[in-house]
Amino acid sequence: MALSTQPYKGARDFYPEDKRLQKYMFRIMRESVEKFGYEEYDAPILESLDLYLAKTGEEIVNEQTYTFEDRGGRKVAIRPEMTPTVSRMVAARRQELAYPLRWYSIPNLWRYERPQHGRLREHWQLNVDIFGSEDVQAELEIIRVADSILKTFGATHDMYTIKLNSRKLMDFIMNEYLGLNQVQSYTLSKLIDRMHKMPAEAFDAEVEALFSPSQREAGAHNKLHGLLKTKHLDALPERLRELPSVVALQKLLTQLKAMHIPNVIFDITVMRGFDYYTDIVFEVNDTHPENNRSMFGGGRYDGLVGLFGVEPVPTVGFGMGDVTLQNFLEGHDLMPKLRSETDVFAIIVGDVAEKAEKVIDDLREMGLHIAVDFTGRKIDKQIKTASKKDVHYALFIGERELKDEQYVLRNLQTGVEERHSASRIVSIVKDYRED
RNA sequence: GCGGAAGUAGCUCAGUCGGUUAGAGCGCUGGAUUGUGGCUCCGGAGGCCGUGGGUUCGAGUCCCAUCUUUCGCCCCA
């Protein structure tokens, strides 16, 4: 039986053209967040399993994490997300860091689950966090950063919606306003989280089953129903509007709109999967009709750093996955045509290899990326090879060129050929590379 | 983890009722008087029909299992 050439289930090989796309996406991400002063960090892909047992949703640890025992008997996990890791790093140097911290990373993460559209077992996820600010200005900045990234990819505001909500508001609604106990609240929040994926009747039935007789008596169901239909903060009952979280949400919405981000809305059904969110959460949705799903999101999690036994550090952050981002870019026709990192494919004509290599080395010295075809094949084959590699220019070097030191530079896109000196070639190619 | 669909050449696929040496297009490769790709013409390579069992005189075709891909569910990015 032959060895399989397939990559591991749910993981991808990155051939040069795939890697080109990944590098492009990471470059835009880095440039966007660094504009706001975020600094890159990194960490090992392996973590102690304990790190994930304390928090996170239970299912992620039990069923979706790759775990194993190392040779020393330690329980090890391949990181399924970056937030616990970065919280651990911050906690380790809690006292000496200069707050507010603006950190980002693009780690690869692993989750053991069934691969399907937009979800693989290994993915890369831009993580952007701001540590050390309780002020809603932190949320404002984080959302602006997320918006700015999408804009840099060429997206316009009609392509996505930013939905905001608050966990504190939801907790208040469930505990105080509806009078639910802890178990009921937890179940209901998970139910609201997937409310849009189930028929209204099924949702109603599950909600009804959740309430106790006395709660039903008190009209809990109707109250909840009314709330879930709320599209604006002003439409909330007075008691809820006075909550600090709601005031903060209102401020956020107003400021974002003032900053020319009109596609933000309040959405009371946004919950986010992780249990560690403590207040404001947000979610970015693709508006493309065929891919109308949550692309990524984030929120405030003030409790995580404190789990390591140090004073808590208030934190706001989000994670943006490469697979969902790619789907978004493809859906909105935002994928760039990427060329090779190689600027020039040199074609040596005749028996002049030694002299030609000298010229090529000079060009490399002046900063060009040049691959040389030393096969001596027919010229048409060599041009075809260059073209297939998505190299932009072919450079012919033969007797004639070497004699007068004028080389034939061919633009493989247009087919236009010109004779130039080496230094002129360098500036032409560099000019092209710049844009 | 639970359902549905699909696996034939590198890619996209055809293959009748189970019947001889398994097909096309594209791609790859060589050539059309040796310094120019994409067009045209001619030649060539390339298949354990995903894998393992079973039924049958005979299986790409029917049955079972398994792996992979894919769509949905759970969950989430």
Side-chain angles (χ1 to χ4, degrees):
Chain A
M1 172 120 147
L3 223 44
S4 171
T5 56
Q6 279 180 328
Y8 174 73
K9 184 183 175 82
R12 301 102 97 202
D13 290 326
F14 290 87
Y15 286 83
E17 60 270 28
D18 308 312
K19 193 67 186 175
R20 226 134 69 194
L21 175 65
Q22 191 193 54
K23 282 168 81 173
Y24 164 76
M25 294 203 296
F26 288 5
R27 179 168 61 78
I28 299 291
M29 288 174 176
R30 287 198 169 92
E31 287 174 2
S32 304
V33 300
E34 284 175 4
K35 258 182 210 168
F36 284 81
Y38 286 73
E39 299 178 285
E40 187 164 11
Y41 66 91
D42 213 336
I45 192 167
L46 298 181
E47 287 280 3
S48 166
L49 182 60
D50 298 338
L51 183 63
Y52 304 103
L53 293 176
K55 30 128 329 268
T56 324
E58 260 178 55
E59 179 170 18
I60 287 186
V61 178
N62 298 335
E63 295 168 25
Q64 297 198 342
T65 303
Y66 281 84
T67 60
F68 64 94
E69 202 168 283
D70 73 9
R71 295 184 188 211
R74 284 169 282 258
K75 302 258 196 232
V76 179
I78 303 178
R79 62 186 174 201
E81 50 160 338
M82 198 59 168
T83 305
T85 297
V86 70
S87 301
R88 175 177 67 70
M89 288 170 69
V90 171
R93 302 200 178 173
R94 169 75 177 81
Q95 306 296 334
E96 56 191 287
L97 294 167
Y99 300 95
L101 245 44
R102 290 183 171 91
W103 283 9
Y104 81 93
S105 190
I106 312 179
N108 55 336
L109 309 173
W110 287 80
R111 285 189 194 164
Y112 192 84
E113 60 181 339
R114 192 134 179 200
Q116 55 181 278
H117 184 69
R119 291 171 58 205
L120 300 171
R121 287 182 171 182
E122 184 190 37
H123 76 122
W124 273 258
Q125 187 189 62
L126 170 67
N127 276 253
V128 183
D129 293 286
I130 180 161
F131 291 87
S133 171
E134 289 181 312
D135 199 285
V136 72
Q137 291 305 311
E139 277 92 339
L140 178 72
E141 178 171 304
I142 280 290
I143 293 170
R144 286 181 63 203
V145 169
D147 180 72
S148 163
I149 294 169
L150 292 176
K151 268 192 240 166
T152 310
F153 277 110
T156 49
H157 283 132
D158 56 308
M159 295 176 186
Y160 59 97
T161 307
I162 302 169
K163 299 175 168 179
L164 304 178
N165 196 13
S166 159
R167 279 282 178 90
K168 279 205 176 120
L169 167 64
M170 298 313 285
D171 286 346
F172 187 88
I173 287 174
M174 292 188 282
N175 301 332
E176 310 291 327
Y177 191 74
L178 298 175
L180 305 184
N181 64 34
Q182 273 214 320
V183 176
Q184 286 176 312
S185 299
Y186 188 81
T187 313
L188 180 59
S189 68
K190 295 288 172 190
L191 201 54
I192 292 173
D193 196 29
R194 57 196 170 91
M195 136 179 205
H196 295 297
K197 293 183 186 172
M198 54 202 308
E201 309 82 61
F203 179 80
D204 284 344
E206 290 203 38
V207 167
E208 192 63 37
L210 188 100
F211 292 125
S212 69
S214 63
Q215 286 164 344
R216 275 183 217 124
E217 199 100 339
H221 198 162
N222 281 342
K223 278 163 103 176
L224 176 65
H225 235 273
L227 284 174
L228 291 180
K229 275 190 280 194
T230 306
K231 298 280 180 239
H232 297 282
L233 289 169
D234 317 337
L236 288 172
E238 178 95 38
R239 277 173 74 192
L240 302 180
R241 259 184 292 154
E242 287 166 355
L243 293 171
S245 293
V246 175
V247 173
L249 269 179
Q250 186 60 66
K251 191 173 171 193
L252 243 188
L253 283 164
T254 309
Q255 288 191 308
L256 285 168
K257 285 187 176 152
M259 289 171 156
H260 308 291
I261 303 178
N263 50 334
V264 280
I265 56 164
F266 165 64
D267 186 335
I268 200 166
T269 66
V270 167
M271 297 302 293
R272 305 295 304 154
F274 293 121
D275 294 339
Y276 52 67
Y277 289 119
T278 50
D279 196 353
I280 289 176
V281 287
F282 74 97
E283 198 166 279
V284 178
N285 279 68
D286 191 344
T287 55
H288 195 287
E290 278 170 29
N291 195 37
N292 196 345
R293 65 211 306 267
S294 163
M295 273 164 66
F296 68 94
R300 178 170 284 280
Y301 53 103
D302 289 344
L304 235 40
V305 172
L307 289 181
F308 296 89
V310 298
E311 272 292 292
V313 177
T315 311
V316 182
F318 71 90
M320 176 190 271
D322 66 331
V323 182
T324 37
L325 174 65
Q326 192 176 330
N327 288 341
F328 174 78
L329 296 179
E330 282 166 352
H332 293 281
D333 204 21
L334 294 173
M335 295 287 264
K337 291 146 213 74
L338 298 167
R339 309 245 90 216
S340 170
E341 297 284 327
T342 307
D343 303 309
V344 173
F345 193 79
I347 295 172
I348 298 171
V349 183
D351 192 18
V352 293
E354 222 166 290
K355 285 179 190 164
E357 285 283 6
K358 257 191 81 182
V359 173
I360 291 165
D361 266 340
D362 287 347
L363 290 168
R364 286 184 183 131
E365 207 49 41
M366 289 185 271
L368 298 195
H369 301 172
I370 306 186
V372 57
D373 194 319
F374 46 64
T375 61
R377 288 178 299 174
K378 295 176 84 92
I379 305 230
D380 55 345
K381 299 295 174 203
Q382 298 193 37
I383 291 177
K384 238 179 139 174
T385 301
S387 180
K388 197 169 170 182
K389 287 180 190 295
D390 289 323
V391 175
H392 194 68
Y393 290 104
L395 181 67
F396 296 92
I397 306 177
E399 298 276 3
R400 299 205 290 261
E401 288 78 8
L402 287 164
K403 198 172 154 201
D404 57 7
E405 296 187 353
Q406 297 279 310
Y407 310 94
V408 174
L409 186 68
R410 182 186 182 91
N411 181 324
L412 291 171
Q413 296 264 277
T414 61
V416 172
E417 256 177 38
E418 289 170 328
R419 294 173 71 81
H420 293 295
S421 66
S423 60
R424 183 87 188 99
I425 284 169
V426 171
S427 62
I428 290 172
V429 172
K430 282 190 174 169
D431 277 355
Y432 171 75
R433 199 203 280 166
E434 296 310 305
D435 51 63

